[in-house]
């Protein structure tokens, strides 16, 4: 299709719960492992030299502590909500004659011309349950033994849901001054797999984000505007 990519399968579900047309798309993965994955996602790679071997298991250490990532997922469903909660409208005045319309959205259009409500008008409706992407999320720690990624900030979706983690487009690892000793390009491969450490479930194999020169979380960093009164 004009680009090079790799397909990543995650989770597992019963084959009887998969539609026939979807099962045909999963056939190459099912033949490899004998199990039907819960979902398959496609990720683009730099070139053919960096393609992973077929059947490779990807671990959390595939990412580098300190890099920025984009996380995509399905947001929490909120049901049918009004315009104030769904779009952040201010609502109507609390007094001065307002009656039974304090949380109304206000005017929805013009008069006889054009004589209709334009498509896309922000109104009450179903909120949440859609795909959303949080950009430039910082990886602060990676636990290789427990296979966990610690990220600063909120992640879209309910607990236990699948999310997609990609290298940040706007602030990738190799174009940031927030990481001490950052590289122009990330190392490829990003790490060497160790069967005695990665994914064993044991703790103690944690890697932290390197601190920058002016990082306020660095204990050696002190803001010049802060004055500490000495003990007398």
């Amino acid at each position: 299709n004009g680009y090079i990519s790799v397909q990543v399968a995650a989770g597992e579900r019963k084959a009887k719960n998969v539609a026939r047309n979807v099962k045909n798309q999963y056939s190459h993965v099912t033949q490899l492992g004998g199990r039907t994955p819960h979902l398959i996602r496609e990720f683009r790679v730099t070139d053919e030299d960096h393609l992973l071997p077929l059947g490779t298991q990807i671990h959390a250490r595939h990412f580098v502590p300190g890099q920025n990532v984009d996380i995509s997922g399905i947001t929490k469903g909120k049901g049918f909500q009004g315009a104030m909660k769904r779009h952040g409208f201010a609502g109507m005045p609390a007094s001065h004659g307002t009656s039974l319309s304090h949380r109304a959205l206000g005017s929805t259009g013009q008069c006889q011309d054009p004589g209709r409500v334009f498509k896309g008008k922000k109104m009450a409706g179903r909120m949440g349950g859609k795909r959303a992407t949080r950009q430039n999320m910082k990886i602060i720690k990676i636990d290789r033994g427990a296979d966990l990624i610690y990220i600063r900030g909120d992640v879209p979706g309910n607990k236990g849901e699948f999310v997609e983690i990609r290298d940040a487009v706007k602030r990738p690892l190799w174009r940031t001054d927030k990481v001490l000793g950052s590289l122009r390009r990330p190392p490829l491969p990003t790490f060497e797999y160790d069967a005695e450490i990665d994914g064993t479930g044991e703790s103690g194999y944690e890697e932290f984000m390197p601190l920058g020169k002016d990082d306020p979380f660095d204990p050696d960093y002190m803001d010049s505007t802060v004055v500490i009164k000495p003990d007398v």
Side-chain angles (χ1 to χ4, degrees):
N1 297 328
Y3 64 93
I4 303 173
S5 63
V6 60
Q7 288 185 337
V8 179
E12 182 181 358
R13 56 178 170 175
K14 296 181 180 180
K16 67 176 184 178
N17 296 332
V18 182
R20 181 176 299 178
N21 58 339
V22 178
K23 190 180 299 184
N24 294 334
Q25 299 176 6
Y26 289 0
S27 59
H28 59 291
V29 180
T30 306
Q31 294 174 2
L32 178 64
R35 297 178 297 179
T36 304
H38 190 276
L39 55 84
I40 293 180
R41 291 294 182 267
E42 191 173 88
F43 298 88
R44 299 184 66 170
V45 296
T46 308
D47 51 46
E48 295 182 358
D49 296 334
H50 299 131
L51 285 174
L52 298 174
L54 191 63
T56 301
Q57 185 176 1
I58 299 178
H59 296 269
R61 190 56 183 87
H62 177 79
F63 295 94
V64 180
Q67 79 170 108
N68 297 312
V69 293
D70 295 340
I71 303 179
S72 302
I74 305 299
T75 59
K76 293 181 179 180
K78 304 293 184 179
F80 193 97
Q81 299 296 333
M84 291 183 64
K85 180 174 182 177
R86 190 184 186 199
H87 300 292
F89 285 5
M92 305 300 285
S95 61
H96 296 285
T98 303
S99 177
L100 303 179
S101 58
H102 296 85
R103 298 183 63 86
L105 71 160
S107 175
T108 58
Q110 295 75 41
C111 196
Q112 184 174 353
D113 184 18
R116 63 187 178 90
V117 178
F118 290 118
K119 292 182 178 180
K121 173 64 180 176
K122 294 181 179 179
M123 304 177 73
R126 182 171 294 180
M127 180 180 177
K130 296 182 179 180
R131 179 182 172 89
T133 301
R134 299 289 185 267
Q135 297 182 335
N136 306 323
M137 306 292 288
K138 180 77 69 176
I139 296 179
I140 59 176
K141 183 175 69 172
I142 290 179
D143 191 334
R144 297 182 61 174
D147 209 16
L148 295 175
I149 300 177
Y150 293 79
I151 296 176
R152 182 187 300 169
D154 60 314
V155 177
N158 291 305
K159 294 182 179 180
E161 294 292 336
F162 288 94
V163 294
E164 300 176 24
I165 305 178
R166 306 171 183 265
D167 294 337
V169 176
K170 296 181 179 179
R171 294 181 182 177
L173 174 67
W174 55 89
R175 284 207 306 267
T176 178
D177 56 353
K178 300 298 183 181
V179 178
L180 184 63
S182 60
L183 305 175
R184 179 173 178 81
R185 290 286 178 181
L188 295 171
T190 52
F191 81 109
E192 294 182 0
Y193 172 72
D194 190 346
E196 298 181 357
I197 297 178
D198 296 301
T200 58
E202 300 180 0
S203 59
Y205 302 100
E206 300 178 350
E207 298 185 7
F208 295 84
M209 177 184 71
L211 298 175
K213 299 179 181 179
D214 298 330
D215 195 322
F217 294 94
D218 189 346
D220 297 331
Y221 169 77
M222 180 181 297
D223 193 346
S224 59
T225 60
V226 178
V227 178
I228 301 178
K229 184 178 180 180
D231 296 332
V232 179

